[in-house]
């Protein structure tokens, strides 16, 4: 069997775990390893997500510094809050006579997260024209990272992404990286750690192709996961509040955990990871009750685990932010994976108690609800051209009148 993730692969024939507990054990097991993503190798073959074993542990231990308590506080207070304030001021200039402005929720979310990504990666030039350029790089890179599920020509998708990476490197990444290498080697780097400065400290063992792939991975992963989570939460929560209007006030109540639970429930119902996480069995064993051999393709069905009736007995397919699982489960369930490959940026999205941060997703969703976000009935949402459901347009309007703050 071809071990490359392939959109044409009949995954129904892949042995897979489906129960909640079994999926967690599978993802935490050292007896499985990631599937080589040959179709996207040129774009992310050397990035963190493609590594395993000792190489993965070493790289991850270095990059964990990007998500320290101090770093998470800095992203939220010094970057996200001013970014949203500026975005709302600009929307106010576009408001109609009714004091409302049109907003595309995925694009709005991406714009806010992009500013965090620029700081996290270490891109030095961050004026409006620079942000527009980097913003334009995101969709071609996302398409390449999702190439196995693309409905278009994969060869063209990869070629476009490689050209985008090349431009991003020449214009923005290389100058910033060179400055950090010089400072790190001279022992004069005294700024907050970012991805490029951490990679500069490894420049004797990491080549430039790895640097550009790693930066592209962080740009895509931060934007893709959070933008999808925010858009899904807004859509599902608006529908919930239509039926439960008393809960709308709880969305704005920072002393309540209602919004956090809503984000986590949206992640459960619509996980940003693939519903079936494929792995390769390292040894003989059993998966989903089926015997498997070393080298065989196996999977963890996140979608099935999130609907396990033993954990979610009451209409598991339904979005319910007041839901109480039948057993204690970890926040976000398996929406960010689990085990060695648990998403490194998870605390940035959902917050971190030790850092005292709310997380990008709850913060942005709350700001939109504070501005009385409503779905725009005159425009239709639009999905990306991929087999994975992801909105690129979710039209809404918000109140940006002085009374709305």
């Amino acid at each position: 069997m071809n071990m490359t993730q392939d959109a044409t692969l009949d995954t129904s024939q892949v042995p897979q775990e489906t129960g909640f507990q079994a999926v967690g054990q599978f993802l935490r097991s050292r007896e499985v390893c990631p599937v080589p993503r040959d179709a996207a190798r040129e774009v992310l073959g050397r990035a963190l997500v493609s590594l395993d074993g000792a190489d993965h542990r070493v790289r991850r231990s270095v990059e964990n510094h990007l998500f320290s308590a101090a770093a998470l506080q800095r992203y939220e207070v010094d970057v996200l809050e001013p970014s949203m304030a500026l975005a709302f001021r600009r929307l106010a200039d576009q408001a109609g006579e009714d004091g409302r402005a049109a907003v595309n929720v995925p694009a709005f979310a991406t714009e806010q997260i992009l500013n965090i990504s620029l700081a996290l990666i270490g891109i030095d030039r961050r004026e409006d024209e620079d942000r527009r350029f980097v913003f334009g790089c995101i969709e071609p890179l996302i398409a390449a990272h999702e190439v196995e599920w693309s409905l278009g020509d994969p060869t063209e998708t990869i070629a476009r992404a490689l050209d985008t990476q090349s431009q991003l490197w020449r214009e923005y990444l290389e100058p910033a990286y060179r400055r950090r290498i010089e400072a790190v080697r001279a022992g004069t780097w005294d700024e907050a750690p970012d991805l490029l400065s951490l990679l500069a400290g490894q420049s004797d063992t990491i080549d430039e192709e790895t640097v550009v792939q790693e930066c592209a991975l962080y740009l895509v992963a931060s934007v893709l996961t959070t933008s999808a989570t925010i858009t899904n939460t807004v859509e599902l929560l608006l529908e919930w509040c239509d039926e439960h209007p008393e809960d709308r006030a709880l969305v704005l109540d920072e002393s309540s955990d209602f919004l956090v639970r809503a984000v986590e429930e949206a992640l459960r119902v619509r996980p940003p990871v693939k519903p079936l996480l494929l792995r390769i069995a390292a040894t003989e064993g059993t998966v989903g009750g089926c015997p498997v051999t070393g080298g065989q393709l196996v999977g963890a069905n996140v979608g099935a685990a999130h609907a396990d009736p033993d954990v979610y007995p009451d209409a598991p397919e339904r979005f319910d932010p007041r839901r109480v699982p039948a057993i204690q489960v970890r926040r976000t369930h398996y929406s960010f994976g689990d085990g060695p490959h648990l998403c490194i940026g998870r605390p940035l999205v959902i917050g971190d108690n030790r850092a005292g941060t709310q997380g990008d997703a709850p913060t942005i969703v709350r700001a939109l609800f504070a501005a009385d976000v409503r779905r725009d009935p005159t425009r239709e949402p639009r999905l990306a051209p991929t087999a994975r459901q992801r909105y690129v347009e979710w039209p809404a309007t918000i109140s940006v009148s002085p009374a709305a703050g």
Side-chain angles (χ1 to χ4, degrees):
M1 179 180 291
N2 183 357
M3 292 307 159
T4 302
Q5 289 186 20
D6 187 338
T8 64
L9 178 67
D10 182 4
T11 55
S12 67
Q13 303 304 310
V14 175
Q16 53 191 268
E17 301 290 359
T18 58
F20 190 91
Q21 303 280 35
V23 163
Q25 293 170 1
F26 176 95
L27 293 174
R28 293 187 293 270
S29 173
R30 300 287 182 178
E31 301 303 317
V32 296
C33 54
V35 177
R37 295 186 57 188
D38 291 346
R41 185 178 299 277
E42 293 179 275
V43 178
L44 52 75
R46 302 185 185 187
L48 177 67
V49 71
S50 299
L51 302 181
D52 194 39
D55 290 340
H56 179 266
R57 289 193 294 274
V58 170
R59 180 84 63 81
R60 185 165 178 132
S61 68
V62 171
E63 295 176 7
N64 275 333
H65 293 289
L66 297 170
F67 304 98
S68 67
L72 293 171
Q73 291 169 1
R74 185 170 66 253
Y75 303 143
E76 193 161 292
V77 175
D78 297 342
V79 181
L80 182 57
E81 290 181 7
S83 174
M84 286 198 300
L86 177 60
F88 280 113
R89 287 198 298 272
R90 288 176 171 173
L91 285 169
D93 293 337
Q94 304 168 22
E97 293 182 358
D98 60 354
R100 299 189 69 83
V103 59
N104 175 23
V105 174
F108 178 86
T110 297
E111 181 183 354
Q112 310 318 308
I113 303 156
L114 175 61
N115 288 321
I116 295 177
S117 297
L118 295 176
L120 185 152
I121 292 170
I123 293 177
D124 292 331
R125 291 161 47 194
R126 304 177 194 173
E127 299 300 322
D128 283 350
E129 63 179 314
D130 303 313
R131 289 198 296 272
R132 284 194 292 270
F133 179 89
V134 180
F135 186 97
C137 294
I138 293 173
E139 198 57 41
L141 294 175
I142 287 178
H145 282 233
E146 295 186 320
V147 68
E148 292 91 352
W149 302 271
S150 173
L151 302 179
D153 181 355
T155 302
E156 181 180 329
T157 296
I158 294 299
R160 187 178 175 212
L162 289 173
D163 181 62
T164 298
Q165 281 188 344
S166 179
Q167 294 181 56
L168 186 63
W169 171 254
R170 290 195 310 270
E171 295 292 329
Y172 291 92
L173 298 177
E174 184 176 23
Y177 186 54
R178 297 289 175 221
R179 182 172 79 86
R180 284 156 177 76
I181 285 180
E182 292 179 6
V184 168
R185 289 178 176 174
T188 58
W189 181 258
D190 58 359
E191 299 176 37
D194 50 43
L195 180 59
L196 285 172
S197 68
L198 294 176
L199 295 176
Q202 310 290 312
S203 60
D204 292 339
T205 57
I206 293 180
D207 60 20
E208 292 178 358
E209 185 175 357
T210 300
V211 173
V212 70
Q213 289 188 7
E214 195 79 329
C215 290
L217 168 66
Y218 272 84
L219 182 61
V220 167
S222 60
V223 168
L224 180 60
T225 300
T226 316
S227 176
T229 299
I230 290 165
T231 306
N232 289 333
T233 303
V234 168
E235 180 179 44
L236 294 168
L237 198 48
L238 281 174
E239 293 173 356
W240 174 268
C241 289
D242 282 344
E243 298 178 5
H244 306 84
E246 69 279 6
D247 283 346
R248 185 151 188 149
L250 290 177
V251 177
L252 306 181
D253 185 355
E254 295 189 17
S255 66
S256 168
D257 67 348
F258 179 80
L259 177 56
V260 171
R261 291 168 60 188
V263 171
E264 293 173 1
E265 177 71 350
L267 283 164
R268 183 190 68 83
V269 174
R270 298 182 186 173
V273 297
K274 300 173 290 297
L276 180 63
L277 297 180
L278 297 176
R279 297 288 189 268
I280 295 175
T283 61
E284 292 184 359
T286 60
V287 173
C290 300
V292 299
T293 59
Q296 185 174 349
L297 196 64
V298 292
N301 195 319
V302 171
H306 285 185
D308 187 337
D310 290 336
V311 182
Y312 310 103
D314 181 21
E317 75 286 351
R318 186 182 65 210
F319 173 81
D320 181 357
R322 293 186 175 277
R323 182 185 302 279
V324 178
I327 65 172
Q328 185 174 0
V329 299
R330 191 188 61 198
R331 295 181 64 193
T332 71
H333 325 283
Y334 301 124
S335 296
F336 292 89
D338 202 349
H341 290 272
L342 176 69
C343 177
I344 193 172
R346 177 174 170 267
L348 185 58
V349 180
I350 63 165
D352 189 294
N353 291 334
R354 66 193 171 94
T357 55
Q358 299 180 59
D360 301 350
T363 298
I364 295 173
V365 171
R366 179 175 281 120
L368 288 169
F369 270 75
D372 188 28
V373 64
R374 303 175 191 171
R375 181 168 179 171
D376 185 345
T378 68
R379 296 179 292 159
E380 289 297 320
R382 183 168 64 89
L383 295 170
T386 170
R388 296 171 63 187
Q389 179 173 328
R390 174 172 62 86
Y391 286 116
V392 290
E393 290 184 18
W394 200 89
T397 66
I398 60 172
S399 174
V400 286
S401 62

